[in-house]
Amino acid sequence: MSLAQEMFAIAPAMGKANLSASQLKLLSGKSRWIFRVGEAGFPTIPTIALTRAAWEGLQGERGRKEAKLRTHWVACLFKLVGKDAQPPTLVVRTSAAAHNGGLMPAKMGIAAPANPEDSVDPARPLAKAIKAAFDSYGFGQGWTGRSDEDRGKQIVLVQASADGEIEQFLTRNATTGAIGPAPVDGSPLPRLPESVNALVALVDAKAGRHMCCTVAIKRGQIIFVSARPSQVSAAADLEAAVDRVNRKIWSAQNAVSRIDPTRMAQLLHPRLRSTEGMSPIAMGLGVSPGAASGAVVFNPEDAARLRARGKHCILVVNETGPSDIEGMKAATGILTARGGMSSHAGVIARITGKPCVAGVRTLSVDAAEMVCRIGDREFRTGDRLTIDGSDGAVYVGTLPLAQPHIGGAISTLLGWSNATRTIAVRTNAETVESAMTALSFGAEGIGLARSEHMFFSPERMVALRRMILSEDEDDRSRAIHGLVDFQTGDYSALFSAMKGLPVNVRLFDPPLHEFLPRTDEDIEETAASLGLAVRALRLRLERIAEVNPMLGHRGVRLAITYPEILSMQMQAIMAGVRAASDTQSEPVSVEVMVPFVSTATEVAWVRDRVNTIAANSGLLRTERVKFSFGTMIELPRACLRAGDIAQMVDFFSFGTNDLTQTTFGISRDDAPTFLAAYQRKGVYERDPFVTIDEKGVGEMIAIAIERGRAANPRLKIGICGEHAGDPASLKFFAGLGVDYVSCSPYRVPVARLTLAQASA
Amino acid sequence: MSLAQEMFAIAPAMGKANLSASQLKLLSGKSRWIFRVGEAGFPTIPTIALTRAAWEGLQGERGRKEAKLRTHWVACLFKLVGKDAQPPTLVVRTSAAAHNGGLMPAKMGIAAPANPEDSVDPARPLAKAIKAAFDSYGFGQGWTGRSDEDRGKQIVLVQASADGEIEQFLTRNATTGAIGPAPVDGSPLPRLPESVNALVALVDAKAGRHMCCTVAIKRGQIIFVSARPSQVSAAADLEAAVDRVNRKIWSAQNAVSRIDPTRMAQLLHPRLRSTEGMSPIAMGLGVSPGAASGAVVFNPEDAARLRARGKHCILVVNETGPSDIEGMKAATGILTARGGMSSHAGVIARITGKPCVAGVRTLSVDAAEMVCRIGDREFRTGDRLTIDGSDGAVYVGTLPLAQPHIGGAISTLLGWSNATRTIAVRTNAETVESAMTALSFGAEGIGLARSEHMFFSPERMVALRRMILSEDEDDRSRAIHGLVDFQTGDYSALFSAMKGLPVNVRLFDPPLHEFLPRTDEDIEETAASLGLAVRALRLRLERIAEVNPMLGHRGVRLAITYPEILSMQMQAIMAGVRAASDTQSEPVSVEVMVPFVSTATEVAWVRDRVNTIAANSGLLRTERVKFSFGTMIELPRACLRAGDIAQMVDFFSFGTNDLTQTTFGISRDDAPTFLAAYQRKGVYERDPFVTIDEKGVGEMIAIAIERGRAANPRLKIGICGEHAGDPASLKFFAGLGVDYVSCSPYRVPVARLTLAQASA
């Protein structure tokens, strides 16, 4: 492309633009919209463009006292002159692909150049404005690090001034997503002529997203001036997408592919189950919807620490600023003393989908002393609060939350998504309640029921502790006898709730000492309930304590050292299968999974015992039960030995959390102390516990799948780590050809949508 | 081979044996020695052999009233008849490849059969003895699991009775290894005619190990009856090997290949540096040489736990039995109240090379209460004792030990081993003392100087704690200033001691909190020395505490989060280089190594800073300093990304301990709770922390070497985990083509010998 061709009309005052392919490629942002609307035949303000390379060519020529390019430039400027042959007043605008804070605002009211030299002399108004526009690209961050070639292609627009009233409107409603024209930022909708509807339909169809249009109105006629995308809530985006399908602008598949799954997750907020009998201790503004309960924290470090341990927390601050973003992301909810809907806290909270109550006037925070006051009550780190970001209420303590249900547009979109999705989506759940939530979100089974989570109630904990603290095998056998009944009921209820969908039960996993008492008071109580002397209990606890519990006596190691536990679990599972099978018409589909294996011998050892107990139950001979046995793959050695292991199992389920911990040598609990510095210094691009590390952990998984399938072609492959709820990771898993993923219930819609996009 | 050929004379009374290749293959144990000695022309007792297959053939024929095989058998028996044509009295013996408790002892004084039927009739003496001999193979464990084919090839010997005195002697002295004849088991050496020397030389040359010979002596003539191998001390084996080279029976290379490196390690015992002014609190029998200090333990579990933490311990018991073997292996030394040189404790201690004092009469042990008394003093778990297994002395407390020096036969053998060895052997050392020990053992450099070990003295610990507990970067900078001087002196001394051999310094590695106070007393002292309130110190300590320190804030993560530490270390290293370089003629060769990396970005980050400080020192421009930079490879992700990492470094050094921990997901500290059960139940064949797991960890290393060398062909590869001192692991590393290994000083000879064998 010659430099002469880098000066051209994108919307000439008369006739069509007739751009070459190279010229089309230069268009982005505003220039692209002006061209497209003009091209579609809608009255559009005359506009020409020139690249930085052309501009520099003009200036170079001027130094050499030449005028060849200038002639082209003057001809180009004449494209702004309409039928009346009057040179218009001019406007100079930048036109960048991405919004960029440093760019020059539009420069209005520039007189048309009186002669050719005026059109290129930076001392004269037009050339001066063009130079300032190009210079402003240098200050923005958007172009940093681009190559010289890209820099040459930066463009500046020169427009004829619009005659008439300048007005702005959105193509769709910012809240409901309904087709516009709609008001911008709460300002009233201007009076617009009927013909605006054609413009709205045109821009909406071409953009496929909310756009903010600038138009000139003169004598009831609309002239298009410019348009830019407008960021709206995920809900509005979703409604708009469904509406476009209904209007036949998009196909259903198109809608599915256009919605960002990460943003959809933000629509699924928990809410307070009931506030009956509860009074808020304070009211603020509900600036980001959803309810959240958790421990009070005053800084990002504590928020990150709690999040790493899987705990919820509420970040309490006077007001938020850029330094609080990490803390806000880590927190479950945000509570501020100052600010409103458009405050930093509100904006960030809505973008990240965190419930937020702002502007609580009775709140004061002393971050240094780590204490806050609400009215006359004092709260310190760890105290519990519940906030409702929908109505702005603040409650003391932990109020019960209800998981969101999906309906309306989400439900419609997810329904469409099933058409292209080839990978099943299951959920991680061990209670009937969360199983039901997941089912309502479209889960196709349970991919991970963490059996140890069934012991979290106080009376069961006593029974469990008795087992862990027993001194020999006989003691232990007696202690676990009582545990079978508890578990049988749990399993039976879970199988029944899932109505024949597969339920994957992971055998007992965590380090035993996680279930043991820690505080003095707890130790004394436990000693009393077990009939032990406190001193004897302390000695026993010391012996069980581990230096690195994550890598200790857990998973399959428990099953092999304490076969009584394995036996108890299997008996409870089979009894649960029998009970559920007696009351439902669908066959019970149960999968038993052994965690934390590193050798095929371990798998064989457990498989023999599991299969014996399952066979002895007599249930496998009927058509009413489907039973399979598999293993977690969550250690590097298991990935390497996947060929040996695959021959002994029906399925692999990748535990990506532990696999990330061992592949990187990072304890997730302890990572916050250096992870922030790592991200700040650019050592990690992303947190590997949020998005799968494709080059390391990902290769481990790929090796295991390849070796496993080679050894056992019927091997079923699942993913049950938390990465199974992260869109970027899900795309990677889809590429590996897994059979299913399993994520937390409220992530099921995210996984469904992401996998539909990945399979399309 | 026909059954007739499975009955044959291995030493006929007259003439030569003339065995076929198939018949030779049947010979093992005694039968082989009888054949070889007879074949060499030495007078040998007439002996015939028959296989179980032949025997069963004879019995089958007898049932069918046939006599074809019997004719062969009778002919074979006639080979026992000498010139005098008198049928001799007979002896029936088994002849198994391995010693086997269940086998029938030799049956003597059997009358020669009076007729052919007597030779096969199990009711008659000869056939009865033969049947009993074959039957006894069934009871031994040696043949369990062998195939039927092997079973058919079991053989029984029939010999003429020896005329004269039966005597036994060893071919070499059991203690010194000097050529025999030598007494057996402390019984006096029988009077033997001159011609025995020829027999001794013959058997020693053919066997290449200590043999116990049985001969008959009649009228000053020796007749060879039988021989079997005799187990002797590693020292005697070694002396004998060197002596065989001196006698030109073996080549030097032959001697190198015949010594078991594992057994050689047992010769290198520490000894008490001085007992001046120390009185033993008790004396027993020194039944296994070497000195040991450590914490008192009363059971194998505690011994294993301490060993896993790298602590020394003394197993104290009344007497040992088979159930104590694991404990003895885990203990540093053994102390018993009962038993002597040939007690279970003595035998096992010598085999495993552990110092042992037995038969301490003033010692009584109450294992259940975990307490022992020596005279009127009481000792509990954790109290310190020192024992000297050479003279039987027992001391209270920890006495200083001196590492062994090598000389004599070991030194000669290791000298020979250099001829075939192609892989360098370095040592893990950070003090001048252990560096000197390693040099005396032939170390060719330091492969791992753990810089953090330089802070273990009390006054340095205070300085280090001040640094760790500092609240911000300025504080930290001030605190580390004082640490540079300490380190400079250490590095300078270490470089000087190594006289130009390479010294590899690993940057600060362990979790910071390992250096922090734990007990109340220690915390109070630290608070006082740092000028902090005890409560403030406790809060700070709580914040630093880690859940899984092994996977926490350590290694390269410290360098990146606290660049001041990295800077301090590098300045100290370069100052040490300058100081050493000023006083020695050899160039200083220093390698700097960053631990615990998982990404190439981490390596690049550290490399840039390390290289800048090294370059700024001005030392790199001279020929007097060789400087290189490399990384530990000890995490699965580093193995996978070895290609990226290799482009940034001069060398890889594999930390096999941490790589085993992360590949298996096992904390070495916590493994004892299930490792014993795992080995008992056959889940692990070997402890992966002792012998490298070839199929898992080994593949990780192989992947890293392949990718690393592909990306950087000049990459140097070393191994610095404890596996580098284990012969089985060393053989595996040799197969991977590493450039050097680095082990603890007293393992250097083991590595030299093993690698010589592997390269031969």
Side-chain angles (χ1 to χ4, degrees), chain B residues 631-700:
Chain B
T631 178
M632 295 276 287
I633 300 285
E634 53 192 332
L635 290 171
R637 196 178 189 286
C639 292
L640 295 178
R641 306 310 304 165
D644 299 346
I645 295 172
Q647 295 167 39
M648 303 179 180
V649 296
D650 303 308
F651 62 87
F652 280 177
S653 180
F654 286 92
T656 53
N657 304 349
D658 274 332
L659 189 56
T660 300
Q661 296 197 91
T662 46
T663 302
F664 272 94
I666 294 182
S667 152
R668 196 176 178 186
D669 281 342
D670 303 307
T673 51
F674 60 88
L675 220 52
Y678 260 48
Q679 289 191 282
R680 204 168 52 239
K681 296 187 182 187
V683 179
Y684 287 166
E685 281 171 46
R686 311 198 230 188
D687 179 342
F689 291 107
V690 173
T691 298
I692 195 87
D693 157 53
E694 296 185 13
K695 290 183 171 181
V697 182
E699 186 183 358
M700 274 290 164

Side-chain angles (χ1 to χ4, degrees), chain A residues 469-630:
Chain A
L469 293 164
S470 55
E471 290 280 348
D472 58 39
E473 215 168 302
D474 278 358
D475 260 19
R476 199 173 303 120
S477 290
R478 272 191 298 276
I480 64 187
H481 196 73
L483 292 175
V484 175
D485 292 343
F486 282 130
Q487 294 234 300
T488 301
D490 287 344
Y491 288 126
S492 156
L494 201 59
F495 297 142
S496 297
M498 293 306 290
K499 291 192 172 46
L501 292 173
V503 176
N504 182 317
V505 180
R506 181 179 72 183
L507 295 172
F508 211 62
D509 183 34
L512 290 182
H513 84 254
E514 276 193 14
F515 292 92
L516 294 176
R518 287 175 208 198
T519 63
D520 290 350
E521 195 188 336
D522 209 3
I523 289 174
E524 279 163 32
E525 263 181 33
T526 306
S529 73
L530 298 178
L532 275 174
V534 171
R535 193 173 154 269
L537 177 57
R538 280 192 194 278
L539 269 174
R540 181 92 186 115
L541 290 173
E542 255 171 53
R543 284 185 83 94
I544 293 180
E546 294 191 296
V547 182
N548 296 292
M550 218 288 295
L551 304 178
H553 193 191
R554 53 175 289 206
V556 65
R557 299 165 193 166
L558 283 173
I560 291 180
T561 49
Y562 300 144
E564 316 85 68
I565 297 182
L566 171 61
S567 178
M568 173 272 282
Q569 281 213 279
M570 274 307 297
Q571 273 154 16
I573 290 168
M574 295 318 293
V577 169
R578 184 184 305 279
S581 167
D582 284 350
T583 59
Q584 72 181 48
S585 56
E586 305 88 352
V588 175
S589 174
V590 60
E591 303 169 347
V592 169
M593 168 159 89
V594 54
F596 223 62
V597 303
S598 54
T599 75
T601 316
E602 288 171 320
V603 178
W605 199 97
V606 174
R607 181 196 57 175
D608 292 350
R609 279 149 190 86
V610 163
N611 284 351
T612 302
I613 296 175
N616 287 348
S617 74
L619 290 163
L620 305 195
R621 275 164 291 173
T622 73
E623 297 282 297
R624 316 253 319 109
V625 176
K626 295 181 201 158
F627 183 87
S628 63
F629 173 77

Side-chain angles (χ1 to χ4, degrees), chain B residues 336-357:
Chain B
T336 77
R338 293 192 284 274
M341 188 59 84
S342 60
S343 64
H344 180 268
V347 172
I348 301 295
R350 287 193 301 276
I351 288 177
T352 54
K354 304 280 180 183
C356 179
V357 172

